[in-house]
Amino acid sequence: MLQHRPGKRRAASGVRRLRAAGRARTVEAADRVCETGGLAPPLDLRDWIALLEREGELTRVAAEVDPDLEITEIADRAVKAGGPALLFEHPKGSRLPLLINQFGTERRMCLALGVEQLDEVAGKLASLLELELPRGARAKLRKALELKAAAASAEPRNVRRGACQEIVLTGDDVDLGLLPVQRCWPHDPAPFITLPAVITHDPETKARNVGMYRMQVVDRCTTFLHWQVHKDAAASWREMEGRLEVAVAIGLDPITTYAATAPLPRGLDELMLAGLLRGRPVELVAAKTVQLDVPAQAEIVLEGYVERGEVGTEGPFGDHTGFYSPAGPFPLFHITAMTMREDAIYPSIVVGKPPAEDAWLGKVTERLFLPALRSAVPEIVDFDLPVAGAFHNCVIVSIRKSFPNQARKVANAVWGLGMLSLTKAVVVVDDHVDPHDYEDVFFHACANIDPKRDVWISEGPLDQLDHSAARECFGGKMGIDATRKDASEGAREWPQEIEMSAEVKQLVEQRWHEYGIAL
Ligand SMILES: Cc1cc2nc3c(=O)[nH]c(=O)nc-3n(C[C@H](O)[C@H](O)[C@H](O)COP(=O)(O)O)c2cc1C
Ligand SMILES: [Mn+2]
């Protein structure tokens, strides 16, 4: 829905496009305040389901539905139509209900985070990152106390008992067949656990890592763990001697689930990020059969280990690129214990052709990491990872340009930063272009580039899921300099972009009601 508002300037974060019900939808940022009432973020999956239900965001499905493909087709329709979260009360073959599409709209994502706009999430961390101390002893003290309180809420806290261990199954009693694990797409060879928070420790530093890596079910007590080569747990697995203990938490509060997907630098504990965003620490209990702590409120926990060098053939899997990622060697996870709540709920997600449910998880990362990106590359004003670009295919960056060829400097910086380094195409626009407004970006990219001069090819590491390059994880990259250029960059005199004068705009705004034009 695009509303014409005479004279209204676009807000900094601009326009978002997701495809809803099969057609392009444009939502202006300023109109995108989600009326969530600023409720506190939920602290476990049940709190979250209750909140969704109170807010009219959840539909319970009583009919028996098959986790083999059928749930995918239902969930995909719900996601693409902007529909509700779904609680399947009777998945075929399991006693556990299955929750899906919990993250499928911007409003639900805002409810999960306890914000009214996604842009607010960065603020939750930015105040912590303000390194400059205020002047004056009192203000300094206040800031120090604020930081102390924030750190205390961030650090996970150990407790003695956890609901996640109401039922403890070990040895032969471990049975993944109890869970309504989905087989998502027709060429998937087996069911996949799609929303797990995989906990490991760095073998050297002992720092905790929590990452979301899908798990293909092999038998009642074995799965694969699909940590891609660039991911933190994969590094720990490569570096360890012997066994790496692993615990998997399934069914968490939505912020902790999100945190498992956040590309934090290696060595930073994603549970700290969860604590910061929740404003309350994540509670942990000691696992039963491994020396790891697990979220006390989790619905289900799988404990076990992977052996160094032991791999099998995982996949193929209908992936978030919209294609099947090919079968490949990944480690086997041997489960030594399965613990659960008495009436556990199993959450799942389906990825596939974008837009899928993971779209808003990606958008949270985009908004959360903007300040970090700007502090690393100060000329960056804003950036957008188009959902249709599966997040690593394309990045649009707007910059405050102050010297010739700066777009190339910025693209090279992007290709050197964390997971952004895997980006295939970087489009650089001037700061007056809103990177979230794809129409505006397309206009400037088409109008401002001489393809011979302003498009260049580089190469480097690529996302492991990219199927287009000749080699796995390596290939070409494209930079597009869509900024205005001057003679030193080989351009003729640059024309002025058409813009109505501020006075006339104001006049028309004031008189709009007199014209009697409904737009
Ligand atoms: C729904 C979903 C599924 C994901 N599946 C995988 C996966 O199977 N393998 C993988 O390496 N990353 C996967 N990711 C991305 C990682 O969770 C993400 O890169 C995260 O930062 C990894 O944590 P790490 O940085 O601690 O390694 C997935 C993300 C989402 C949202
Ligand atoms: Mn990590």
Side-chain angles (χ1 to χ4, degrees):
M1 175 181 36
L2 178 61
Q3 271 190 342
H4 178 75
R5 298 259 191 97
K8 182 163 169 283
R9 282 195 54 81
R10 230 182 274 119
S13 60
V15 179
R16 294 278 164 78
R17 273 151 202 278
L18 285 185
R19 218 175 58 214
R23 68 194 160 82
R25 187 178 55 153
T26 307
V27 186
E28 267 204 50
D31 299 331
R32 264 191 15 250
V33 175
C34 296
E35 282 168 17
T36 58
L39 299 166
L43 296 180
D44 68 11
L45 191 74
R46 280 126 203 262
D47 259 8
W48 176 220
I49 290 173
L51 175 62
L52 289 172
E53 203 147 33
R54 280 199 306 276
E55 292 290 319
E57 292 279 355
L58 181 96
T59 297
R60 290 173 180 268
V61 180
E64 188 184 77
V65 179
D66 201 336
D68 191 80
L69 306 183
E70 190 181 4
I71 289 183
T72 298
E73 180 60 20
I74 300 167
D76 199 46
R77 289 182 192 207
V79 169
K80 289 187 168 62
L86 302 172
L87 187 66
F88 289 98
E89 294 177 323
H90 303 292
K92 192 173 169 191
S94 172
R95 284 175 50 197
L96 276 67
L98 180 149
L99 175 72
I100 198 160
N101 202 19
Q102 59 177 303
F103 299 116
T105 63
E106 186 172 26
R107 178 166 193 268
R108 285 207 287 286
M109 203 68 240
C110 284
L111 278 170
L113 293 160
V115 297
E116 304 240 359
Q117 277 188 304
L118 287 188
D119 288 314
E120 287 170 36
V121 286
K124 289 198 184 195
L125 302 190
S127 57
L128 272 185
L129 299 176
E130 273 169 24
L131 296 176
E132 210 176 308
L133 276 181
R135 286 180 190 206
R138 240 168 221 243
K140 272 195 184 116
L141 182 64
R142 200 175 333 115
K143 178 85 184 170
L145 289 175
E146 261 174 41
L147 286 175
K148 205 172 158 204
S153 74
E155 197 72 66
R157 204 178 66 199
N158 279 76
V159 295
R160 292 191 47 208
R161 279 164 182 277
C164 70
Q165 294 173 339
E166 284 167 359
I167 296 174
V168 178
L169 304 172
T170 54
D172 288 345
D173 292 334
V174 172
D175 185 6
L176 292 172
L178 296 171
L179 310 179
V181 185
Q182 279 185 277
R183 193 167 69 95
C184 298
W185 296 104
H187 296 295
D188 293 0
F192 284 79
I193 298 170
T194 51
L195 208 58
V198 178
I199 302 164
T200 51
H201 281 195
D202 184 311
E204 216 174 280
T205 65
K206 309 293 174 221
R208 177 175 26 239
N209 189 71
V210 187
M212 185 169 292
Y213 319 112
R214 71 175 185 239
M215 302 163 66
Q216 179 182 331
V217 175
V218 176
D219 60 34
R220 47 191 284 153
C221 59
T222 319
T223 73
F224 286 109
L225 273 170
H226 182 266
W227 45 52
Q228 292 156 28
V229 62
H230 304 113
K231 306 302 169 75
D232 292 342
S236 292
W237 180 57
R238 283 194 300 271
E239 289 161 17
M240 73 174 185
E241 306 282 339
R243 285 183 171 182
L244 181 71
E245 290 191 325
V246 178
V248 178
I250 302 167
L252 299 166
D253 64 279
I255 286 182
T256 309
T257 302
Y258 161 72
T261 75
L264 290 187
R266 189 172 177 205
L268 287 187
D269 181 357
E270 283 81 3
L271 294 184
M272 285 267 279
L273 173 67
L276 279 173
L277 293 176
R278 289 165 26 132
R280 298 272 291 275
V282 177
E283 292 188 346
L284 300 174
V285 281
K288 295 286 181 188
T289 57
V290 291
Q291 299 220 315
L292 294 169
D293 292 331
V294 297
Q297 318 301 337
E299 297 290 321
I300 301 155
V301 173
L302 306 174
E303 306 175 4
Y305 60 90
V306 295
E307 297 274 13
R308 186 193 165 97
E310 189 198 15
V311 293
T313 303
E314 195 260 9
F317 176 70
D319 223 315
H320 81 114
T321 56
F323 292 82
Y324 285 93
S325 46
F330 282 91
L332 284 156
F333 172 49
H334 302 283
I335 302 172
T336 50
M338 177 170 171
T339 77
M340 290 193 273
R341 292 196 182 217
E342 254 150 31
D343 47 358
I345 299 163
Y346 174 84
S348 186
I349 189 169
V350 170
V351 297
K353 271 194 194 153
E357 191 188 332
D358 57 335
W360 291 112
L361 291 167
K363 283 291 157 193
V364 174
T365 291
E366 180 199 287
R367 293 298 92 196
L368 194 60
F369 284 79
L370 176 62
L373 182 64
R374 288 173 63 163
S375 72
V377 191
E379 58 267 61
I380 290 182
V381 176
D382 200 356
F383 80 125
D384 186 278
L385 299 163
V387 169
F391 294 109
H392 60 264
N393 287 333
C394 180
V395 174
I396 303 161
V397 189
S398 65
I399 64 165
R400 203 165 288 122
K401 183 170 169 178
S402 60
F403 58 82
N405 299 305
Q406 198 167 355
R408 291 177 194 238
K409 180 244 183 194
V410 169
N412 285 325
V414 167
W415 287 326
L417 279 173
M419 285 299 120
L420 275 181
S421 65
L422 305 178
T423 305
K424 255 201 305 199
V426 178
V427 183
V428 185
V429 293
D430 285 310
D431 58 350
H432 71 279
V433 182
D434 181 345
H436 310 296
D437 184 343
Y438 302 151
E439 199 88 10
D440 205 19
V441 171
F442 195 72
F443 164 66
H444 285 90
C446 293
N448 280 358
I449 60 163
D450 167 0
K452 198 156 179 227
R453 183 192 58 206
D454 301 327
V455 178
W456 74 102
I457 302 299
S458 182
E459 60 182 9
L462 292 182
D463 192 291
Q464 197 168 7
L465 298 181
D466 184 277
H467 60 265
S468 65
R471 277 166 61 186
E472 190 183 34
C473 296
F474 180 79
K477 289 162 179 280
M478 179 170 59
I480 299 178
D481 179 357
T483 61
R484 68 173 285 150
K485 270 139 290 209
D486 65 21
S488 73
E489 295 167 296
R492 286 177 292 144
E493 193 181 338
W494 205 263
Q496 260 197 315
E497 247 179 87
I498 300 171
E499 198 57 82
M500 183 45 72
S501 70
E503 301 84 70
V504 173
K505 279 187 173 178
Q506 204 184 353
L507 171 86
V508 169
E509 194 160 336
Q510 278 165 358
R511 297 198 54 201
W512 191 258
H513 63 280
E514 293 178 43
Y515 309 144
I517 306 170
L519 287 181

